[in-house]
């Protein structure tokens, strides 16, 4: 079922800039929706992956760019997933301790914007940036860079324009702990005219074959629909079997690892088929016990694909627990909802995969944020069968190989 005719005029109106774009999960979602995008990314390995995927990219540090730079003049949608290491449960935790500090910076930035708008003198953005650079972990302050872009777009004309043009839509995502930061964002965004919506979402409720929680903030000038970003699949609960067919609210069963791989095998002839059933044994402890390794059987969604997923063991799902080959890049990418042959490049591809926005979730978020029709089967077919626009120049047999350090 195609939904292109009804929303194509509106779809063509948007142009997205993706801060901290990583290997391209959100940009791929935009491409699937036929929305132009450009991503800013500083990591050379992620840039290599993006370029192999044919995604427009501006290499460099987000702090050195702004909406007034050439190349961003047509962008009216601001998106971003700032680095999450200091906010992540698996990280040092310094970001969580700094939430009050970050909140203070958010309101300092709002005060800076109001002074600039009124033509008054006072603390400048350079003063604020210098203070941010003095934080114990500078990555913590990067979560504030999207807000700087928002305010600069509202204060100064972009390259080649005569008057300031605010971003029409803002889409930000992070680990769940950052929802408190997004709520503070909401206060200042509402004060400058935006309508906002922030919530922690479960990605398996949007067809991603993985349980992953993400804090999402969407801001726009128009009102939000009553049922904004409604779930399409049921939530996974430990020990519960999937409900076949549709249940309350028209939601389908969550997608298992087996389901996701079966979909690939139907469309990708060269895929290496994995024997099922299998069990993924996590490298992490469960329930506070480091010896109690978490387990997911292949008829369940994958556990969260972190940057350390290569450490997880794969065993047969029987009493013998025979060791099997560990997940490949292609399989881990599929559990993140990337196409099977997504061209991962550079070093530490596992970290790239683990850090990425699941494209399928990205399609849902962008469709809702931009008020497009809900994605139909044709959209998911394009994602499943996606290939880079330009033919691969290297040997397909080595396309997934790691680049030597």
């Amino acid at each position: 079922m195609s939904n292109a005719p009804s929303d194509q005029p509106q779809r063509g109106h948007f142009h997205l800039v993706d801060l901290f774009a990583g290997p391209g999960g959100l940009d791929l979602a935009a491409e699937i929706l036929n929305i132009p995008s450009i991503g800013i990314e500083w990591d050379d390995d992620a840039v290599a992956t993006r370029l192999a995927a044919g995604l427009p990219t501006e290499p460099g540090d987000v702090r050195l760019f702004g909406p007034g730079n050439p190349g961003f003049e047509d962008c009216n949608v601001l998106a971003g997933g700032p680095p999450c290491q200091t906010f992540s449960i698996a990280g040092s935790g310094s970001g969580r301790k700094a939430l009050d500090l970050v909140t203070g910076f958010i309101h300092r930035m709002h005060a800076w914007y109001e002074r600039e708008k009124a033509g008054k003198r006072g603390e400048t953005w350079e003063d604020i940036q210098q203070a941010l650079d003095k934080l114990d972990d500078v990555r913590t302050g990067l979560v504030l860079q999207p807000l700087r872009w928002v305010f600069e777009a509202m204060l100064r004309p972009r390259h080649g324009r005569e008057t300031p043009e605010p971003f029409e839509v803002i889409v930000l995502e992070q680990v769940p702990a950052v929802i408190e930061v997004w709520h503070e964002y909401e206060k200042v965004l509402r004060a400058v005219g935006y309508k906002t919506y922030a919530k922690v979402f479960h990605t398996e409720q949007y067809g991603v074959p993985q349980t992953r929680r993400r804090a999402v903030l969407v801001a726009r000038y128009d009102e939000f629909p009553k049922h904004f970003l409604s779930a399409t699949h049921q939530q996974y609960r430990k020990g519960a079997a999937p409900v076949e067919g549709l249940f309350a609210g028209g939601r389908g069963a969550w997608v298992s690892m087996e389901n996701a791989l079966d979909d690939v095998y139907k469309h990708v002839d060269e895929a290496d088929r994995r024997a099922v059933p299998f069990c993924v044994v996590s490298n992490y402890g469960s329930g506070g016990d480091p010896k109690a390794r978490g387990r997911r059987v292949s008829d369940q969604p994958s556990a969260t694909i972190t940057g350390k997923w290569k450490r997880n063991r794969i065993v047969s799902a029987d009493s013998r627990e025979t060791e099997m080959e560990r997940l490949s890049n292609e399989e881990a990418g599929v559990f993140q909802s990337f196409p099977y042959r997504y061209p991962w490049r550079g070093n530490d591809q596992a970290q790239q995969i683990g850090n990425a926005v699941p494209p399928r979730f990205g399609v849902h978020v962008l469709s809702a944020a931009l008020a497009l029709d809900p994605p139909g089967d044709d959209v998911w077919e394009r994602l499943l069968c996606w290939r880079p626009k330009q033919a691969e120049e290297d040997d397909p047999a080595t396309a997934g190989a790691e680049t030597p350090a």
Side-chain angles (χ1 to χ4, degrees):
M1 178 179 67
S2 175
N3 60 11
S6 65
D7 62 24
Q8 193 63 42
Q10 185 178 15
R11 184 189 307 264
H13 167 71
F14 294 115
H15 195 133
L16 183 146
V17 56
D18 185 8
L19 314 183
F20 312 101
L26 196 61
D27 300 78
L28 177 58
E31 181 178 312
I32 295 300
L33 291 170
N34 297 317
I35 296 169
S37 71
I38 181 169
I40 301 175
E41 175 54 45
W42 73 273
D43 180 74
D44 291 341
D45 298 319
V47 168
T49 295
R50 293 178 58 84
L51 295 179
L55 299 174
T57 302
E58 182 67 57
D61 187 334
V62 166
R63 293 174 293 183
L64 303 180
F65 296 95
N69 290 109
F72 305 124
E73 56 268 29
D74 294 328
C75 295
N76 56 5
V77 179
L78 177 69
C84 66
Q85 291 91 337
T86 59
F87 291 93
S88 174
I89 294 174
S92 66
S94 61
R96 295 195 305 278
K97 297 176 183 177
L99 282 175
D100 288 343
L101 182 63
V102 170
T103 295
F105 273 108
I106 289 173
H107 294 283
R108 284 172 66 178
M109 291 171 70
H110 181 209
W112 157 69
Y113 162 77
E114 294 293 351
R115 282 194 302 271
E116 287 281 312
K117 182 181 177 182
K120 298 180 179 179
R121 303 179 67 176
E123 186 177 43
T124 66
W125 167 252
E126 289 72 20
D127 296 331
I128 297 174
Q129 183 62 65
Q130 288 179 9
L132 288 171
D133 291 340
K134 293 178 182 178
L135 295 178
D136 290 341
D137 192 325
V138 296
R139 294 174 302 179
T140 301
L142 293 177
V143 77
L144 301 173
Q145 286 299 315
L147 191 58
R148 173 179 67 84
W149 277 65
V150 170
F151 288 151
E152 286 192 358
M154 299 180 75
L155 288 170
R156 303 179 181 93
R158 302 189 204 180
H159 180 71
R161 304 297 175 91
E162 295 183 358
T163 58
E165 297 180 22
F167 289 102
E168 295 182 27
V169 181
I170 302 164
V171 179
L172 305 176
E173 67 86 38
Q174 252 276 13
V175 295
V178 183
I179 192 65
E180 294 180 48
V181 175
W182 292 161
H183 288 325
E184 293 300 324
Y185 257 58
E186 286 189 284
K187 294 176 184 178
V188 299
L189 289 175
R190 289 172 181 169
V192 297
Y194 284 94
K195 308 293 193 303
T196 67
Y197 185 95
K199 180 181 175 181
V200 175
F201 292 91
H202 296 256
T203 61
E204 79 273 16
Q205 291 191 281
Y206 298 88
V208 178
Q210 172 195 179
T211 54
R212 187 184 192 94
R213 298 171 64 238
R214 302 303 291 180
V216 174
L217 167 64
V218 175
R220 40 182 291 145
Y221 279 109
D222 295 332
E223 296 290 342
F224 285 88
K226 183 177 180 180
H227 300 291
F228 179 74
L229 199 53
S230 297
T232 57
H233 294 66
Q234 69 187 86
Q235 184 179 344
Y236 172 77
R237 300 188 185 280
K238 185 177 180 180
V243 176
E244 298 301 328
L246 298 178
F247 71 111
R251 301 177 190 173
W254 38 254
V255 179
S256 70
M257 291 181 277
E258 288 181 11
N259 298 149
L261 293 175
D262 283 345
D263 283 343
V264 167
Y265 299 151
K266 293 173 185 175
H267 293 83
V268 183
D269 292 337
E270 72 272 21
D272 296 324
R273 296 172 180 263
R274 177 176 289 276
V276 292
F278 59 86
C279 179
V280 181
V281 184
S282 174
N283 179 63
Y284 295 104
S286 178
D289 182 357
K291 296 181 180 179
R293 302 298 182 183
R295 292 170 175 260
R296 290 284 176 88
V297 182
S298 53
D299 63 358
Q300 300 170 324
S302 168
T304 302
I305 297 292
T306 71
K308 307 299 182 185
W309 58 264
K310 279 187 176 290
R311 298 180 182 179
N312 297 339
R313 296 168 52 226
I314 311 294
V315 298
S316 59
D318 55 31
S319 59
R320 292 176 295 178
E321 294 200 350
T322 304
E323 291 287 337
M324 304 172 70
E325 289 189 12
R326 300 199 177 191
L327 290 179
S328 65
N329 283 351
E330 289 84 0
E331 290 172 322
V334 166
F335 297 159
Q336 274 275 56
S337 74
F338 278 88
Y340 184 77
R341 289 299 184 189
Y342 196 72
W344 304 105
R345 294 291 187 271
N347 296 307
D348 205 356
Q349 294 171 17
Q351 191 70 47
Q352 291 185 51
I353 296 170
N355 287 347
V357 177
R360 184 172 178 123
F361 183 58
V363 167
H364 277 289
V365 172
L366 288 180
S367 295
L370 304 182
L372 305 178
D373 290 342
D377 292 341
D378 60 320
V379 173
W380 306 129
E381 187 76 6
R382 287 201 299 272
L383 178 59
L384 186 66
C385 300
W386 176 92
R387 292 291 183 273
K389 293 179 179 178
Q390 295 183 339
E392 292 281 322
E393 295 181 0
D394 50 0
D395 185 348
T398 61
E402 293 264 349
T403 301

